[in-house]
Amino acid sequence: MAIAPRPGNPAAQVIRSLLQHKHEFSLYSKAMPYALAVEVTELDLDSGHLVLEAEYSDGNLEHYFTKGSLSFDLEALKGPQTSERETYSLTNVAAKLLKTDSTSYRLECQLPESVFVHENRGAVRIPFILGMQTRVSLEVYLHELNIPGRLRNLSVGGCMVDIDLADSIALGVDQDIPGVTLEFPNGESFFAEGTIRHIRPFGNHGYAAVGVQFIHLTMPQTEALFRYVNESEREAAYRTGSNEKMTQHSPLFIPGAKEKKILQREAQEQEKHTRQSPMERGVMNVAHQLQVGLMYMKTRNLFPSEIFYDCVDTLRYLVEQDRKALLYALAFLRDEPDWVRHAVQVAGQLADFMMLRDPHDPQVREAILGALMHTMGKPLLVSAQLPSLKVNMNPAQKAILRGHVTVLRDKQHELGWEPSPTCRDVIENANERPDGSGYPMGKRGEQLSELIRLVAVIKAINKLMHARNGVPPRSPLDAYRKIHEADTAYDKTVLVEYIQVYGLYPIGSLAKFSGGFLAWVMDIDGKGMPIQVHVVKNLRFPETNISSVLTKSDFSQIGKLEDIVNPADYGLKVVKV
């Protein structure tokens, strides 16, 4: 059915369609280390007059302005379980700034007359809006690393691609990449070489926006690209209703057999998605912000201390709110990159452990910061020699990775940031062992603080309980036994204390019951035995997902507790919005 042309401002129409769903509106600027959330208070669909309100207490909001204009992202979550993500970005929108009180601002914006952006070189940039979808593959290292993404805009000069924040560690500004492949819904594809022109965080759900310039185009490539841009412009005009002559979809955007299969598979995956609890969202936000901070360090040569300390304070707050709910939420990081998962889980557990010992310990804040940052040198090492941290590494790559602490400290020094003594202790010594078997300095005994002896045990147990370099994860009991058998490599007094706190069936682990049921451990008693679980799978019906919280009095429904198992063995994954 044809879409009737809509009167008024097309950009305002697009914004209105996204505001009807759960959404987040944010300003961004190259001059600022983080995006600023704002609220829409007025939107005139005819004139394109947009009014935003912002709360900002960190100085002058004018830092988000460039020559009297603003840039913003609008990110909406649609669908029955808010599992469909759609975005819209606008740059250089004319705006006026009015301060209404000491921290409140009113931003009066005039939206452009068209959704199509005219670039400096005369080209037109087409936004992919209102459900327009095109898949992208960025080949970063020839035959080594491909990053999947979604197209967000397209012009004859280049495109913007939406990728997982975790994948952005392999990209750098002005980096040439051997391949950019666009695959349109009808099955047609376009390939070119490219150069990365900019990278920034996009929204608040773990994504990054990557600007790519097409390079070394041949005449056939240029001709094909012009056709794809024209067809995209036709599709955008049809979807916005801005051109009454456009009465049907461009053939380019009618899904072919391959795309239909992919969409069907994605829909089935999204059916498994369950809404996150506030605690899980808080933990996931820390994981995402940690990666955003890394991006600023790598691409802008900026050390965003505000972002990192906000992560620290969020973890402390979550521990104080409900430590058991936090321990449970930490388990849902299992599909994040290993360096991020490990950092946040260790930092969260360290915060919990130290605050159980002494809630007023003055070292807590800086110790958490050190734990969060300790593994950040690993993604800084990604290169042609170490194209990914996800693969099983050869000896040469493992040797490169052992330099991650030195690389991080060098980067911090380069950016003019020096950690406190406690933070530096954790960053530099978390991999050291009392028997001298650690790295990078091989320190021994009294050279290591009591804090490092605690961090070493937490880190080692976390590593053993997760798959690494093709080695499957150990059960908690096996991990404890491994640490105990390591002779003097770890402080056994700390190990005993750890086991007393977290037990043999830790909160957040996946338990298998004799009735064939799998359940996440949500709470344990003083003896470390589960007293509340979240049942998610009946192995007699493996294709069916269930969700039922049971307390100890109802465990007879699922049988006797048998063991802690690996979620990956049963295909249990966290579905990303």
Side-chain angles (χ1 to χ4, degrees):
M1 184 176 73
I3 298 177
R6 304 183 183 100
N9 184 283
Q13 299 284 354
V14 174
I15 291 173
R16 182 190 66 167
S17 72
L18 297 180
L19 292 180
Q20 295 173 16
H21 305 278
K22 180 181 177 182
H23 65 273
E24 290 165 337
F25 208 119
S26 54
L27 308 181
Y28 68 89
S29 167
K30 290 182 179 180
M32 299 302 292
Y34 52 86
L36 177 66
V38 294
E39 294 291 333
V40 177
T41 57
E42 296 177 31
L43 177 62
D44 190 312
L45 298 178
D46 292 324
S47 68
H49 183 66
L50 170 70
V51 178
L52 307 172
E53 287 189 355
E55 292 290 326
Y56 189 67
S57 58
D58 295 336
N60 196 333
L61 193 66
E62 288 185 356
H63 293 307
Y64 284 91
F65 277 72
T66 303
K67 297 180 180 179
S69 63
L70 291 172
S71 297
F72 57 72
D73 292 327
L74 177 53
E75 188 177 35
L77 300 180
K78 304 165 63 176
Q81 293 181 313
T82 63
S83 56
E84 300 171 23
R85 176 173 167 271
E86 191 165 331
T87 66
Y88 184 42
S89 297
L90 274 175
T91 58
N92 302 321
V93 175
K96 294 180 180 179
L97 174 65
L98 300 172
K99 193 167 186 176
T100 54
D101 64 33
S102 60
T103 61
S104 298
Y105 294 83
R106 175 184 170 94
L107 307 168
E108 296 187 353
C109 310
Q110 179 56 52
L111 297 172
E113 293 296 323
S114 171
V115 294
F116 308 126
V117 179
H118 290 271
E119 298 180 326
N120 294 333
R121 296 183 300 273
V124 178
R125 187 166 72 242
I126 313 302
F128 277 50
I129 49 178
L130 301 178
M132 290 174 66
Q133 296 284 358
T134 291
R135 301 178 192 279
V136 182
S137 176
L138 303 178
E139 187 173 19
V140 183
Y141 301 113
L142 195 61
H143 311 310
E144 288 284 350
L145 177 64
N146 283 278
I147 295 176
R150 296 290 182 110
L151 198 59
R152 291 307 180 194
N153 66 47
L154 178 66
S155 74
V156 293
C159 61
M160 187 170 82
V161 184
D162 191 332
I163 67 171
D164 261 9
L165 189 59
D167 290 329
S168 68
I169 64 170
L171 300 173
V173 176
D174 296 330
Q175 175 182 351
D176 289 342
I177 56 176
V180 183
T181 302
L182 314 181
E183 187 165 348
F184 295 93
N186 73 339
E188 290 189 52
S189 64
F190 172 78
F191 173 85
E193 297 175 57
T195 299
I196 306 299
R197 288 306 181 202
H198 64 79
I199 309 171
R200 64 176 180 83
F202 194 113
N204 296 284
H205 295 278
Y207 292 88
V210 180
V212 182
Q213 177 185 350
F214 300 132
I215 60 175
H216 305 149
L217 293 176
T218 64
M219 186 58 69
Q221 285 176 310
T222 301
E223 291 173 353
L225 185 56
F226 269 100
R227 184 170 73 84
Y228 293 136
V229 170
N230 288 336
E231 289 297 310
S232 299
E233 182 175 3
R234 170 182 166 182
E235 181 70 12
Y238 168 69
R239 293 189 185 229
T240 59
S242 60
N243 187 337
E244 61 183 4
K245 295 180 181 179
M246 301 301 175
T247 58
Q248 59 185 1
H249 286 290
S250 159
L252 203 62
F253 290 88
I254 298 175
K258 179 181 177 181
E259 179 68 11
K260 287 179 179 178
K261 286 183 179 179
I262 295 175
L263 291 172
Q264 183 180 25
R265 185 168 65 247
E266 289 178 344
Q268 291 170 348
E269 284 295 317
Q270 295 294 358
E271 287 176 8
K272 301 176 184 178
H273 177 72
T274 56
R275 287 186 175 88
Q276 295 173 331
S277 69
M279 187 68 75
E280 289 164 22
R281 286 197 297 273
V283 167
M284 196 65 74
N285 183 60
V286 170
H288 291 160
Q289 288 303 103
L290 198 60
Q291 295 172 81
V292 169
L294 170 69
M295 182 187 294
Y296 285 126
M297 288 171 62
K298 186 176 178 183
T299 64
R300 298 192 189 177
N301 286 323
L302 173 71
F303 189 86
S305 57
E306 304 97 330
I307 289 178
F308 295 132
Y309 275 109
D310 185 59
C311 291
V312 171
D313 294 337
T314 297
L315 284 178
R316 289 184 69 185
Y317 172 78
L318 296 178
V319 170
E320 291 168 348
Q321 287 295 299
D322 189 337
R323 60 171 294 267
K324 290 185 174 181
L326 171 63
L327 295 173
Y328 182 67
L330 287 172
F332 288 87
L333 294 172
R334 60 188 179 274
D335 290 337
E336 291 296 301
D338 273 349
W339 75 269
V340 176
R341 175 200 55 74
H342 182 67
V344 179
Q345 288 179 341
V346 168
Q349 208 167 29
L350 179 63
D352 177 55
F353 209 106
M354 293 181 74
M355 292 173 73
L356 282 176
R357 282 179 167 180
D358 178 3
H360 306 293
D361 186 342
Q363 285 189 301
V364 169
R365 193 170 190 244
E366 293 298 319
I368 298 170
L369 179 62
L372 282 173
M373 299 199 69
H374 170 74
T375 57
M376 198 170 285
K378 293 183 177 181
L380 289 174
L381 284 165
V382 170
S383 64
Q385 290 73 39
L386 185 66
S388 174
L389 299 178
K390 300 177 183 179
V391 298
N392 295 335
M393 297 181 192
N394 59 42
Q397 291 171 330
K398 290 179 182 178
I400 292 173
L401 204 60
R402 286 173 70 89
H404 70 89
V405 173
T406 302
V407 167
L408 175 62
R409 289 294 292 120
D410 288 347
K411 188 67 174 177
Q412 291 172 335
H413 183 71
E414 175 192 333
L415 300 181
W417 185 80
E418 285 299 320
S420 68
T422 296
C423 180
R424 180 186 294 112
D425 188 23
V426 177
I427 290 174
E428 295 182 353
N429 298 318
N431 287 327
E432 303 289 354
R433 304 286 177 265
D435 66 350
S437 63
Y439 71 92
M441 301 300 293
K443 294 181 180 180
R444 291 178 170 273
E446 297 304 317
Q447 293 178 286
L448 302 179
S449 65
E450 182 180 345
L451 173 60
I452 292 304
R453 291 169 183 268
L454 170 59
V455 172
V457 170
I458 294 174
K459 276 177 56 66
I461 292 172
N462 187 273
K463 285 181 180 179
L464 291 170
M465 288 172 54
H466 292 84
R468 289 171 60 84
N469 282 319
V471 179
R474 292 174 180 261
S475 69
L477 179 59
D478 284 344
Y480 300 157
R481 184 180 292 118
K482 178 74 172 177
I483 299 297
H484 180 74
E485 292 172 351
D487 199 20
T488 57
Y490 301 95
D491 189 322
K492 291 183 179 178
T493 303
V494 173
L495 175 62
V496 170
E497 186 181 1
Y498 183 102
I499 297 171
Q500 289 172 340
V501 171
Y502 300 112
L504 300 181
Y505 306 96
I507 292 173
S509 54
L510 184 66
K512 184 173 181 292
F513 288 80
S514 60
F517 291 90
L518 299 179
W520 297 104
V521 177
M522 299 183 70
D523 197 1
I524 57 176
D525 60 20
K527 296 180 180 179
M529 296 300 294
I531 55 174
Q532 185 180 36
V533 298
H534 180 199
V535 184
V536 292
K537 181 85 65 179
N538 181 347
L539 295 179
R540 289 177 294 180
F541 306 98
E543 299 303 316
T544 303
N545 294 295
I546 54 179
S547 179
S548 180
V549 175
L550 299 180
T551 56
K552 188 176 180 180
S553 60
D554 296 317
F555 282 6
S556 58
Q557 299 176 27
I558 56 177
K560 293 182 179 180
L561 176 61
E562 291 186 338
D563 202 358
I564 296 299
V565 295
N566 179 13
D569 291 343
Y570 299 92
L572 294 182
K573 292 186 176 182
V574 177
V575 177
K576 185 173 182 179
V577 170

